[in-house]
Amino acid sequence: MAPASRLQPETAERVAALSREAFGGRAEIVFHPQCFLSEGHFAGSDVARTAAVLDIANDETFSAVWFARGGYGSGRIAEQVLGNLAPAARDKTYLGYSDGGFLLAGLYRAGYRVAHGPIPHDIRRDGGEAAVWRTLAWLIDGDKTCLEPSLDGRPAVAFNLTILSNLIGTPLIPDLTDHVVMLEEVSEHLYAIDRMMVHVVSSPALRDVAGIRLGRVSDIPDNDPPFGRTPKEIVQHWCGVSGIPYLGDADIGHDADNKVVPFGAGW
Amino acid sequence: MAPASRLQPETAERVAALSREAFGGRAEIVFHPQCFLSEGHFAGSDVARTAAVLDIANDETFSAVWFARGGYGSGRIAEQVLGNLAPAARDKTYLGYSDGGFLLAGLYRAGYRVAHGPIPHDIRRDGGEAAVWRTLAWLIDGDKTCLEPSLDGRPAVAFNLTILSNLIGTPLIPDLTDHVVMLEEVSEHLYAIDRMMVHVVSSPALRDVAGIRLGRVSDIPDNDPPFGRTPKEIVQHWCGVSGIPYLGDADIGHDADNKVVPFGAGW
Protein backbone atom coordinates (compact mmCIF):
# COMPACT_ATOMS: atom_id res chain seq x y z
CA MET A 1 0.00 0.00 0.00
CA ALA A 2 1.06 3.63 -0.52
CA PRO A 3 0.71 5.80 2.59
CA ALA A 4 1.82 8.98 0.83
CA SER A 5 2.28 9.53 -2.92
CA ARG A 6 0.91 7.36 -5.72
CA LEU A 7 2.68 4.39 -7.31
CA GLN A 8 2.49 3.99 -11.08
CA PRO A 9 1.07 0.63 -12.24
CA GLU A 10 4.08 -0.08 -14.48
CA THR A 11 6.37 0.39 -11.47
CA ALA A 12 4.39 -2.24 -9.58
CA GLU A 13 4.68 -4.59 -12.56
CA ARG A 14 8.45 -4.18 -12.68
CA VAL A 15 8.74 -4.98 -8.97
CA ALA A 16 6.47 -8.01 -9.27
CA ALA A 17 8.53 -9.30 -12.24
CA LEU A 18 11.79 -8.83 -10.33
CA SER A 19 10.37 -10.74 -7.37
CA ARG A 20 9.18 -13.64 -9.55
CA GLU A 21 12.54 -13.85 -11.27
CA ALA A 22 14.68 -13.64 -8.13
CA PHE A 23 12.53 -15.49 -5.59
CA GLY A 24 10.11 -17.55 -7.68
CA GLY A 25 7.27 -19.03 -5.70
CA ARG A 26 8.83 -18.27 -2.34
CA ALA A 27 7.26 -14.81 -2.23
CA GLU A 28 4.05 -13.20 -3.36
CA ILE A 29 3.76 -9.43 -3.55
CA VAL A 30 0.21 -8.10 -3.53
CA PHE A 31 -0.15 -4.46 -4.58
CA HIS A 32 -3.21 -3.06 -2.85
CA PRO A 33 -5.38 -1.26 -5.47
CA GLN A 34 -5.09 1.85 -3.29
CA CYS A 35 -1.48 2.25 -4.50
CA PHE A 36 -2.78 3.53 -7.82
CA LEU A 37 -5.43 5.96 -6.56
CA SER A 38 -4.84 9.65 -7.03
CA GLU A 39 -6.21 12.58 -5.00
CA GLY A 40 -4.19 15.77 -5.31
CA HIS A 41 -0.80 15.12 -3.79
CA PHE A 42 -1.78 11.71 -2.46
CA ALA A 43 -2.45 8.09 -3.42
CA GLY A 44 -6.11 8.51 -2.53
CA SER A 45 -7.81 10.19 0.41
CA ASP A 46 -6.65 9.91 4.01
CA VAL A 47 -9.53 7.47 4.58
CA ALA A 48 -8.52 5.30 1.60
CA ARG A 49 -4.86 5.22 2.61
CA THR A 50 -5.68 4.46 6.24
CA ALA A 51 -8.01 1.63 5.20
CA ALA A 52 -5.36 0.17 2.90
CA VAL A 53 -2.71 -0.01 5.64
CA LEU A 54 -5.22 -1.65 7.94
CA ASP A 55 -6.39 -4.10 5.24
CA ILE A 56 -2.88 -5.53 5.04
CA ALA A 57 -1.71 -4.99 8.61
CA ASN A 58 -4.75 -6.69 10.13
CA ASP A 59 -4.74 -9.65 7.70
CA GLU A 60 -2.83 -12.61 9.17
CA THR A 61 -2.07 -14.04 5.71
CA PHE A 62 0.44 -11.25 5.03
CA SER A 63 3.92 -11.29 6.55
CA ALA A 64 4.95 -7.73 5.74
CA VAL A 65 3.56 -4.27 4.98
CA TRP A 66 5.80 -2.63 2.38
CA PHE A 67 5.23 1.06 1.82
CA ALA A 68 5.15 1.54 -1.95
CA ARG A 69 6.48 5.09 -2.10
CA GLY A 70 7.43 8.13 -0.01
CA GLY A 71 6.63 11.69 -1.01
CA TYR A 72 4.29 13.17 1.55
CA GLY A 73 1.26 11.90 3.44
CA SER A 74 2.11 9.21 6.02
CA GLY A 75 2.01 11.64 8.93
CA ARG A 76 -1.56 12.58 8.06
CA ILE A 77 -2.82 9.05 8.71
CA ALA A 78 -0.47 7.77 11.43
CA GLU A 79 -2.78 8.39 14.40
CA GLN A 80 -5.76 6.72 12.68
CA VAL A 81 -3.65 3.72 11.67
CA LEU A 82 -2.19 3.23 15.13
CA GLY A 83 -5.60 3.45 16.75
CA ASN A 84 -7.09 0.65 14.64
CA LEU A 85 -4.53 -2.15 14.50
CA ALA A 86 -5.78 -5.67 15.31
CA PRO A 87 -3.75 -8.50 16.92
CA ALA A 88 -2.71 -9.84 13.49
CA ALA A 89 -0.79 -6.60 12.94
CA ARG A 90 1.80 -7.72 15.52
CA ASP A 91 3.02 -10.65 13.50
CA LYS A 92 4.58 -8.86 10.55
CA THR A 93 7.27 -6.41 9.49
CA TYR A 94 6.62 -2.82 8.34
CA LEU A 95 9.18 -1.47 5.89
CA GLY A 96 9.72 1.87 4.17
CA TYR A 97 11.70 5.08 4.59
CA SER A 98 11.64 8.85 4.04
CA ASP A 99 8.07 10.11 4.54
CA GLY A 100 7.14 6.58 5.69
CA GLY A 101 9.18 7.37 8.82
CA PHE A 102 6.07 8.89 10.42
CA LEU A 103 4.43 5.45 10.43
CA LEU A 104 7.65 3.59 11.23
CA ALA A 105 8.19 5.84 14.27
CA GLY A 106 4.70 5.38 15.66
CA LEU A 107 4.69 1.64 14.98
CA TYR A 108 8.12 1.16 16.58
CA ARG A 109 7.02 3.15 19.61
CA ALA A 110 3.98 0.87 19.89
CA GLY A 111 6.19 -2.23 19.82
CA TYR A 112 5.79 -3.36 16.21
CA ARG A 113 8.61 -4.74 14.03
CA VAL A 114 9.70 -2.02 11.62
CA ALA A 115 12.65 -1.37 9.32
CA HIS A 116 14.04 1.37 7.12
CA GLY A 117 14.81 0.13 3.61
CA PRO A 118 14.26 0.45 -0.16
CA ILE A 119 10.69 0.58 -1.46
CA PRO A 120 8.99 -0.35 -4.74
CA HIS A 121 9.25 3.17 -6.21
CA ASP A 122 13.06 2.91 -5.90
CA ILE A 123 13.12 0.51 -8.89
CA ARG A 124 12.86 3.62 -11.07
CA ARG A 125 16.34 4.80 -10.01
CA ASP A 126 19.52 3.94 -11.90
CA GLY A 127 20.43 0.58 -10.42
CA GLY A 128 17.11 0.50 -8.61
CA GLU A 129 16.60 -3.24 -9.17
CA ALA A 130 19.42 -3.89 -6.71
CA ALA A 131 17.73 -1.66 -4.14
CA VAL A 132 14.39 -3.43 -4.42
CA TRP A 133 16.08 -6.85 -4.44
CA ARG A 134 17.84 -5.87 -1.18
CA THR A 135 14.60 -5.34 0.71
CA LEU A 136 13.07 -8.53 -0.67
CA ALA A 137 16.17 -10.63 0.08
CA TRP A 138 16.14 -9.38 3.65
CA LEU A 139 12.39 -9.87 4.14
CA ILE A 140 12.27 -13.30 2.44
CA ASP A 141 15.64 -14.87 3.29
CA GLY A 142 16.90 -12.70 6.15
CA ASP A 143 19.95 -11.96 3.97
CA LYS A 144 22.31 -10.06 6.26
CA THR A 145 24.32 -8.59 3.37
CA CYS A 146 21.34 -6.25 2.88
CA LEU A 147 21.81 -4.62 6.28
CA GLU A 148 23.50 -1.28 6.91
CA PRO A 149 27.08 -2.41 7.59
CA SER A 150 27.74 -0.40 10.77
CA LEU A 151 24.96 -2.16 12.69
CA ASP A 152 26.72 -3.69 15.71
CA GLY A 153 23.98 -5.10 17.92
CA ARG A 154 23.10 -1.82 19.58
CA PRO A 155 19.50 -0.71 18.94
CA ALA A 156 19.26 1.51 15.87
CA VAL A 157 16.78 3.65 13.95
CA ALA A 158 17.03 5.48 10.63
CA PHE A 159 15.18 8.64 9.68
CA ASN A 160 15.03 11.34 7.11
CA LEU A 161 16.14 14.45 9.05
CA THR A 162 13.07 16.48 8.08
CA ILE A 163 10.77 13.69 9.24
CA LEU A 164 12.60 13.33 12.55
CA SER A 165 12.32 17.10 13.08
CA ASN A 166 8.58 16.87 12.43
CA LEU A 167 8.25 13.95 14.88
CA ILE A 168 9.82 15.79 17.82
CA GLY A 169 7.31 16.62 20.53
CA THR A 170 4.55 14.45 19.03
CA PRO A 171 2.98 11.23 20.34
CA LEU A 172 4.63 9.33 17.46
CA ILE A 173 8.29 9.66 18.42
CA PRO A 174 9.70 6.53 20.08
CA ASP A 175 12.04 6.43 23.07
CA LEU A 176 15.47 6.71 21.44
CA THR A 177 17.54 6.21 24.59
CA ASP A 178 20.76 4.30 23.78
CA HIS A 179 19.85 4.07 20.08
CA VAL A 180 22.20 4.70 17.18
CA VAL A 181 20.28 7.29 15.15
CA MET A 182 21.04 7.24 11.41
CA LEU A 183 19.98 10.30 9.42
CA GLU A 184 19.72 11.06 5.71
CA GLU A 185 18.28 13.93 3.71
CA VAL A 186 17.30 14.96 0.19
CA SER A 187 16.40 18.25 -1.53
CA GLU A 188 16.84 20.51 1.51
CA HIS A 189 18.97 23.68 1.73
CA LEU A 190 22.06 23.54 3.95
CA TYR A 191 20.63 26.29 6.19
CA ALA A 192 17.52 24.16 6.71
CA ILE A 193 19.67 21.11 7.49
CA ASP A 194 21.54 23.19 10.05
CA ARG A 195 18.25 24.46 11.54
CA MET A 196 16.84 20.95 11.81
CA MET A 197 20.04 19.71 13.44
CA VAL A 198 19.66 22.48 16.05
CA HIS A 199 16.10 21.23 16.55
CA VAL A 200 17.21 17.61 16.89
CA VAL A 201 20.07 18.21 19.35
CA SER A 202 17.99 20.70 21.38
CA SER A 203 15.29 18.12 22.01
CA PRO A 204 15.43 16.18 25.26
CA ALA A 205 14.12 13.22 23.23
CA LEU A 206 17.51 12.97 21.51
CA ARG A 207 19.87 13.79 24.35
CA ASP A 208 20.34 10.20 25.54
CA VAL A 209 20.93 8.51 22.21
CA ALA A 210 24.02 6.33 21.74
CA GLY A 211 25.07 8.60 18.89
CA ILE A 212 24.28 9.90 15.43
CA ARG A 213 25.45 8.58 12.05
CA LEU A 214 25.00 10.53 8.82
CA GLY A 215 23.93 8.89 5.58
CA ARG A 216 23.82 10.56 2.18
CA VAL A 217 22.50 14.10 1.78
CA SER A 218 21.59 14.51 -1.88
CA ASP A 219 20.14 17.08 -4.31
CA ILE A 220 20.99 20.05 -2.08
CA PRO A 221 19.66 23.29 -3.63
CA ASP A 222 22.09 26.22 -3.88
CA ASN A 223 22.50 28.30 -0.74
CA ASP A 224 22.75 32.10 -1.16
CA PRO A 225 25.21 33.08 0.23
CA PRO A 226 27.24 29.81 0.23
CA PHE A 227 26.64 28.16 3.59
CA GLY A 228 30.30 27.36 4.16
CA ARG A 229 29.88 23.96 5.81
CA THR A 230 29.22 20.49 4.41
CA PRO A 231 26.34 18.37 5.77
CA LYS A 232 28.88 16.23 7.63
CA GLU A 233 30.49 19.32 9.19
CA ILE A 234 27.05 20.57 10.23
CA VAL A 235 26.15 17.28 11.92
CA GLN A 236 29.56 16.96 13.58
CA HIS A 237 29.32 20.56 14.85
CA TRP A 238 25.95 20.09 16.51
CA CYS A 239 26.90 16.70 17.91
CA GLY A 240 29.97 18.36 19.43
CA VAL A 241 28.01 21.26 20.91
CA SER A 242 25.39 18.99 22.44
CA GLY A 243 27.64 16.17 23.61
CA ILE A 244 25.98 13.59 21.37
CA PRO A 245 28.60 11.18 19.96
CA TYR A 246 29.08 11.45 16.21
CA LEU A 247 29.66 7.87 15.10
CA GLY A 248 30.51 8.27 11.41
CA ASP A 249 28.79 7.58 8.10
CA ALA A 250 25.66 5.52 7.53
CA ASP A 251 25.07 3.64 4.30
CA ILE A 252 21.57 5.00 3.73
CA GLY A 253 20.02 7.68 1.55
CA HIS A 254 17.63 8.49 -1.27
CA ASP A 255 19.54 6.33 -3.75
CA ALA A 256 19.99 2.80 -5.05
CA ASP A 257 22.63 1.97 -2.41
CA ASN A 258 20.24 2.58 0.50
CA LYS A 259 20.55 -0.31 2.99
CA VAL A 260 18.13 -1.96 5.43
CA VAL A 261 18.09 -0.73 9.03
CA PRO A 262 15.82 -2.79 11.30
CA PHE A 263 14.65 -0.58 14.17
CA GLY A 264 15.71 -1.69 17.64
CA ALA A 265 17.92 -4.66 18.38
CA GLY A 266 17.53 -8.43 18.53
CA TRP A 267 16.68 -9.15 14.89
CA MET B 1 22.00 43.72 16.16
CA ALA B 2 21.51 40.99 13.58
CA PRO B 3 21.01 37.50 15.10
CA ALA B 4 20.83 35.76 11.73
CA SER B 5 21.69 37.20 8.30
CA ARG B 6 23.70 40.35 7.60
CA LEU B 7 22.28 43.87 7.23
CA GLN B 8 23.66 46.09 4.47
CA PRO B 9 25.08 49.43 5.68
CA GLU B 10 22.91 51.44 3.26
CA THR B 11 19.81 49.73 4.71
CA ALA B 12 20.82 50.88 8.18
CA GLU B 13 21.33 54.44 6.87
CA ARG B 14 17.85 54.48 5.33
CA VAL B 15 16.29 53.32 8.61
CA ALA B 16 18.25 55.88 10.64
CA ALA B 17 17.17 58.66 8.25
CA LEU B 18 13.52 57.60 8.47
CA SER B 19 13.71 57.64 12.25
CA ARG B 20 15.27 61.13 12.36
CA GLU B 21 12.66 62.46 9.98
CA ALA B 22 9.64 60.91 11.69
CA PHE B 23 10.66 61.00 15.35
CA GLY B 24 13.45 63.61 15.51
CA GLY B 25 15.35 63.63 18.76
CA ARG B 26 12.82 61.44 20.54
CA ALA B 27 14.57 58.27 19.45
CA GLU B 28 18.09 57.17 18.76
CA ILE B 29 18.79 53.99 16.83
CA VAL B 30 22.24 52.50 17.32
CA PHE B 31 23.25 49.87 14.79
CA HIS B 32 25.69 47.49 16.47
CA PRO B 33 28.75 47.07 14.17
CA GLN B 34 28.05 43.33 14.26
CA CYS B 35 25.07 43.93 11.91
CA PHE B 36 27.52 44.36 9.03
CA LEU B 37 29.81 41.41 9.69
CA SER B 38 29.74 38.50 7.28
CA GLU B 39 30.63 34.87 7.87
CA GLY B 40 29.12 32.46 5.36
CA HIS B 41 25.37 32.56 5.79
CA PHE B 42 25.53 34.73 8.90
CA ALA B 43 26.17 38.27 10.16
CA GLY B 44 29.35 37.13 11.88
CA SER B 45 30.14 34.05 13.93
CA ASP B 46 27.85 32.59 16.58
CA VAL B 47 30.16 34.13 19.19
CA ALA B 48 29.99 37.58 17.57
CA ARG B 49 26.19 37.49 17.22
CA THR B 50 25.72 36.25 20.78
CA ALA B 51 28.00 38.99 22.12
CA ALA B 52 26.11 41.64 20.15
CA VAL B 53 22.70 40.66 21.57
CA LEU B 54 24.17 40.70 25.06
CA ASP B 55 25.93 44.06 24.49
CA ILE B 56 22.56 45.71 23.92
CA ALA B 57 20.35 43.56 26.13
CA ASN B 58 22.56 43.98 29.18
CA ASP B 59 23.07 47.76 28.71
CA GLU B 60 20.55 49.73 30.76
CA THR B 61 20.82 52.76 28.45
CA PHE B 62 18.93 50.92 25.68
CA SER B 63 15.15 50.52 25.80
CA ALA B 64 14.78 47.97 23.01
CA VAL B 65 16.65 45.25 21.13
CA TRP B 66 15.53 45.36 17.50
CA PHE B 67 16.61 42.39 15.38
CA ALA B 68 17.94 43.86 12.13
CA ARG B 69 17.07 41.01 9.81
CA GLY B 70 15.76 37.45 9.65
CA GLY B 71 17.15 34.80 7.34
CA TYR B 72 18.66 32.03 9.40
CA GLY B 73 20.77 31.89 12.53
CA SER B 74 18.88 32.98 15.68
CA GLY B 75 18.26 29.43 16.81
CA ARG B 76 21.98 28.72 16.81
CA ILE B 77 22.63 31.32 19.53
CA ALA B 78 19.43 31.28 21.58
CA GLU B 79 20.67 29.05 24.40
CA GLN B 80 23.89 31.07 24.83
CA VAL B 81 21.96 34.36 24.83
CA LEU B 82 19.41 33.18 27.39
CA GLY B 83 22.11 31.87 29.68
CA ASN B 84 23.95 35.18 29.86
CA LEU B 85 21.33 37.90 30.32
CA ALA B 86 21.92 40.42 33.14
CA PRO B 87 19.23 42.22 35.20
CA ALA B 88 19.25 45.20 32.78
CA ALA B 89 17.92 42.86 30.09
CA ARG B 90 14.55 42.75 31.87
CA ASP B 91 13.76 46.41 31.32
CA LYS B 92 13.46 46.49 27.54
CA THR B 93 11.49 45.17 24.59
CA TYR B 94 12.80 42.60 22.08
CA LEU B 95 11.31 42.88 18.61
CA GLY B 96 11.67 40.93 15.38
CA TYR B 97 9.96 38.14 13.46
CA SER B 98 10.54 35.17 11.15
CA ASP B 99 13.86 33.51 12.10
CA GLY B 100 14.03 35.89 15.09
CA GLY B 101 11.17 33.83 16.54
CA PHE B 102 13.70 31.42 18.06
CA LEU B 103 14.92 34.22 20.34
CA LEU B 104 11.46 35.72 20.86
CA ALA B 105 10.16 32.33 21.98
CA GLY B 106 12.94 31.70 24.47
CA LEU B 107 12.84 35.26 25.81
CA TYR B 108 9.06 35.17 26.22
CA ARG B 109 9.27 31.85 27.99
CA ALA B 110 11.83 33.39 30.36
CA GLY B 111 9.50 36.29 31.14
CA TYR B 112 10.95 39.04 28.94
CA ARG B 113 8.87 41.58 26.96
CA VAL B 114 8.90 40.53 23.31
CA ALA B 115 6.93 41.41 20.18
CA HIS B 116 6.60 40.27 16.58
CA GLY B 117 6.90 43.18 14.13
CA PRO B 118 8.69 44.73 11.15
CA ILE B 119 12.49 44.96 11.21
CA PRO B 120 15.08 47.25 9.58
CA HIS B 121 15.63 44.98 6.57
CA ASP B 122 11.92 45.40 5.70
CA ILE B 123 12.62 48.96 4.50
CA ARG B 124 13.86 47.36 1.27
CA ARG B 125 10.34 46.12 0.41
CA ASP B 126 7.90 48.10 -1.73
CA GLY B 127 6.26 50.35 0.84
CA GLY B 128 8.78 49.19 3.41
CA GLU B 129 9.11 52.65 5.00
CA ALA B 130 5.59 52.25 6.39
CA ALA B 131 6.54 48.87 7.88
CA VAL B 132 9.63 50.23 9.62
CA TRP B 133 7.72 53.34 10.78
CA ARG B 134 5.11 51.02 12.32
CA THR B 135 7.56 49.32 14.64
CA LEU B 136 9.16 52.63 15.62
CA ALA B 137 5.82 54.34 16.28
CA TRP B 138 4.81 51.46 18.51
CA LEU B 139 8.12 51.29 20.38
CA ILE B 140 8.47 55.09 20.77
CA ASP B 141 4.88 56.30 21.14
CA GLY B 142 2.95 53.12 21.93
CA ASP B 143 0.86 53.87 18.82
CA LYS B 144 -1.94 51.31 18.92
CA THR B 145 -2.73 51.67 15.21
CA CYS B 146 0.43 49.64 14.62
CA LEU B 147 -0.97 46.57 16.38
CA GLU B 148 -2.46 43.54 14.67
CA PRO B 149 -6.16 44.49 14.60
CA SER B 150 -7.64 41.24 15.92
CA LEU B 151 -5.82 41.53 19.26
CA ASP B 152 -8.58 41.49 21.86
CA GLY B 153 -6.87 41.35 25.24
CA ARG B 154 -6.29 37.62 25.19
CA PRO B 155 -2.60 36.65 25.30
CA ALA B 156 -1.16 36.25 21.82
CA VAL B 157 1.99 35.14 20.03
CA ALA B 158 3.00 35.26 16.36
CA PHE B 159 5.35 32.85 14.63
CA ASN B 160 6.56 31.79 11.26
CA LEU B 161 5.16 28.25 10.89
CA THR B 162 8.57 26.71 10.10
CA ILE B 163 10.09 28.32 13.18
CA LEU B 164 7.24 27.14 15.41
CA SER B 165 7.67 23.61 14.05
CA ASN B 166 11.39 23.78 14.86
CA LEU B 167 10.63 25.04 18.40
CA ILE B 168 8.36 22.12 19.30
CA GLY B 169 9.89 19.83 21.89
CA THR B 170 12.80 22.17 22.68
CA PRO B 171 13.58 24.15 25.85
CA LEU B 172 12.79 27.39 23.96
CA ILE B 173 9.06 26.95 23.37
CA PRO B 174 6.89 28.94 25.80
CA ASP B 175 3.72 27.75 27.49
CA LEU B 176 1.05 28.64 24.91
CA THR B 177 -1.98 27.69 27.01
CA ASP B 178 -4.90 30.03 26.27
CA HIS B 179 -2.87 31.99 23.71
CA VAL B 180 -4.08 33.13 20.32
CA VAL B 181 -1.37 31.74 18.01
CA MET B 182 -0.86 33.71 14.79
CA LEU B 183 1.06 31.98 12.01
CA GLU B 184 2.58 33.17 8.75
CA GLU B 185 4.85 31.58 6.17
CA VAL B 186 7.01 32.36 3.15
CA SER B 187 8.71 30.29 0.43
CA GLU B 188 7.51 26.88 1.58
CA HIS B 189 5.73 24.23 -0.51
CA LEU B 190 2.10 23.51 0.33
CA TYR B 191 2.96 19.90 1.19
CA ALA B 192 5.53 21.19 3.70
CA ILE B 193 2.97 23.61 5.16
CA ASP B 194 0.55 20.71 5.55
CA ARG B 195 3.27 18.57 7.18
CA MET B 196 4.20 21.33 9.62
CA MET B 197 0.53 21.88 10.51
CA VAL B 198 0.30 18.16 11.33
CA HIS B 199 3.36 18.65 13.52
CA VAL B 200 1.88 21.68 15.26
CA VAL B 201 -1.56 20.21 15.97
CA SER B 202 -0.04 16.85 17.02
CA SER B 203 2.06 18.51 19.70
CA PRO B 204 0.68 18.56 23.24
CA ALA B 205 2.31 22.01 23.52
CA LEU B 206 -0.33 23.40 21.17
CA ARG B 207 -3.41 21.47 22.26
CA ASP B 208 -4.59 24.03 24.86
CA VAL B 209 -4.20 27.22 22.84
CA ALA B 210 -7.14 29.61 22.54
CA GLY B 211 -6.98 29.18 18.78
CA ILE B 212 -4.98 29.71 15.62
CA ARG B 213 -5.11 32.65 13.20
CA LEU B 214 -3.45 32.55 9.79
CA GLY B 215 -1.53 35.49 8.34
CA ARG B 216 -0.15 35.76 4.82
CA VAL B 217 1.52 32.78 3.17
CA SER B 218 3.62 34.18 0.33
CA ASP B 219 6.01 33.04 -2.44
CA ILE B 220 4.74 29.44 -2.41
CA PRO B 221 6.79 27.30 -4.84
CA ASP B 222 4.85 25.14 -7.30
CA ASN B 223 3.63 21.82 -5.97
CA ASP B 224 3.89 18.80 -8.28
CA PRO B 225 1.21 17.47 -8.50
CA PRO B 226 -1.01 20.45 -7.50
CA PHE B 227 -1.69 20.14 -3.78
CA GLY B 228 -5.40 20.87 -4.11
CA ARG B 229 -5.83 22.93 -0.95
CA THR B 230 -5.06 26.56 -0.12
CA PRO B 231 -3.01 27.44 2.97
CA LYS B 232 -6.19 28.57 4.70
CA GLU B 233 -7.94 25.29 3.88
CA ILE B 234 -4.92 23.39 5.21
CA VAL B 235 -4.93 25.29 8.51
CA GLN B 236 -8.72 25.03 8.87
CA HIS B 237 -8.57 21.29 8.16
CA TRP B 238 -5.99 20.55 10.86
CA CYS B 239 -7.66 22.85 13.35
CA GLY B 240 -10.88 20.94 12.73
CA VAL B 241 -9.27 17.52 13.10
CA SER B 242 -7.50 18.47 16.33
CA GLY B 243 -10.27 20.51 17.93
CA ILE B 244 -8.19 23.72 17.97
CA PRO B 245 -10.43 26.73 17.20
CA TYR B 246 -9.62 28.43 13.89
CA LEU B 247 -10.13 32.11 14.62
CA GLY B 248 -9.69 33.69 11.17
CA ASP B 249 -7.06 35.80 9.43
CA ALA B 250 -4.10 37.56 11.04
CA ASP B 251 -2.67 40.76 9.59
CA ILE B 252 0.95 39.54 9.58
CA GLY B 253 3.36 38.19 7.00
CA HIS B 254 6.61 38.68 5.12
CA ASP B 255 5.43 41.97 3.60
CA ALA B 256 5.11 45.70 4.18
CA ASP B 257 1.69 45.33 5.85
CA ASN B 258 3.04 43.14 8.66
CA LYS B 259 1.67 44.40 12.00
CA VAL B 260 2.99 44.38 15.56
CA VAL B 261 1.96 41.49 17.85
CA PRO B 262 3.17 41.92 21.44
CA PHE B 263 3.54 38.47 23.01
CA GLY B 264 1.31 37.81 25.98
CA ALA B 265 -1.30 40.21 27.36
CA GLY B 266 -1.31 43.35 29.48
CA TRP B 267 0.63 45.67 27.21
Side-chain angles (χ1 to χ4, degrees), chain A residues 12-35:
Chain A
E13 285 162 23
R14 286 181 62 189
V15 171
L18 180 149
S19 174
R20 280 192 304 274
E21 198 170 312
F23 303 97
R26 292 190 295 126
E28 183 188 9
I29 305 179
V30 177
F31 286 90
H32 195 292
Q34 171 274 326
C35 290

Side-chain angles (χ1 to χ4, degrees), chain B residues 42-161:
Chain B
F42 309 106
S45 68
D46 289 356
V47 169
R49 302 198 318 285
T50 302
V53 191
L54 295 172
D55 281 348
I56 305 179
N58 292 341
D59 183 336
E60 63 188 16
T61 66
F62 291 110
S63 61
V65 180
W66 195 14
F67 301 150
R69 187 175 173 186
Y72 169 64
S74 306
R76 293 175 60 106
I77 63 170
E79 282 196 34
Q80 283 300 312
V81 168
L82 288 162
N84 291 283
L85 292 169
R90 291 266 166 212
D91 196 28
K92 47 177 59 78
T93 302
Y94 299 79
L95 193 142
Y97 74 106
S98 191
D99 184 76
F102 283 111
L103 281 165
L104 298 182
L107 287 161
Y108 180 56
R109 176 179 171 135
Y112 293 82
R113 286 205 314 265
V114 315
H116 159 110
I119 53 183
H121 191 69
D122 283 320
I123 205 167
R124 300 165 63 95
R125 300 184 187 278
D126 273 354
E129 288 83 359
V132 167
W133 176 87
R134 197 174 298 126
T135 284
L136 291 172
W138 181 70
L139 283 174
I140 296 166
D141 294 328
D143 187 332
K144 288 189 188 300
T145 66
C146 307
L147 296 175
E148 202 284 333
S150 73
L151 290 168
D152 60 4
R154 287 185 288 185
V157 292
F159 285 109
N160 175 274
L161 174 59

Side-chain angles (χ1 to χ4, degrees), chain A residues 39-42 46 71-72 75-77 79 99 102 160 162-163 165-171 188 190-192 194-196 198-199 201-205 207 223-229 237-238, chain B residues 39-42 46 71-72 75-77 79 99 102 160 162-163 165-171 188 190-192 194-196 198-199 201-205 207 223-229 237-238:
Chain A
E39 185 175 300
H41 198 96
F42 309 106
D46 289 356
Y72 170 64
R76 294 175 59 108
I77 62 171
E79 282 196 33
D99 184 76
F102 284 112
N160 175 274
T162 297
I163 304 305
S165 171
N166 277 261
L167 282 166
I168 289 173
T170 75
E188 295 289 344
L190 288 172
Y191 78 84
D194 193 81
R195 186 169 60 197
M196 291 189 285
V198 175
H199 190 204
V201 304
S202 300
S203 166
R207 283 282 164 104
N223 211 82
D224 179 27
F227 192 75
R229 277 183 175 156
H237 173 78
W238 290 111
Chain B
E39 184 174 303
H41 198 96
F42 309 106
D46 289 356
Y72 169 64
R76 293 175 60 106
I77 63 170
E79 282 196 34
D99 184 76
F102 283 111
N160 175 274
T162 297
I163 305 304
S165 170
N166 277 260
L167 284 166
I168 289 173
T170 76
E188 294 289 344
L190 288 172
Y191 79 83
D194 193 81
R195 186 170 59 196
M196 291 189 285
V198 176
H199 190 205
V201 305
S202 299
S203 165
R207 281 284 164 99
N223 211 84
D224 178 26
F227 193 74
R229 277 182 174 156
H237 172 79
W238 290 111

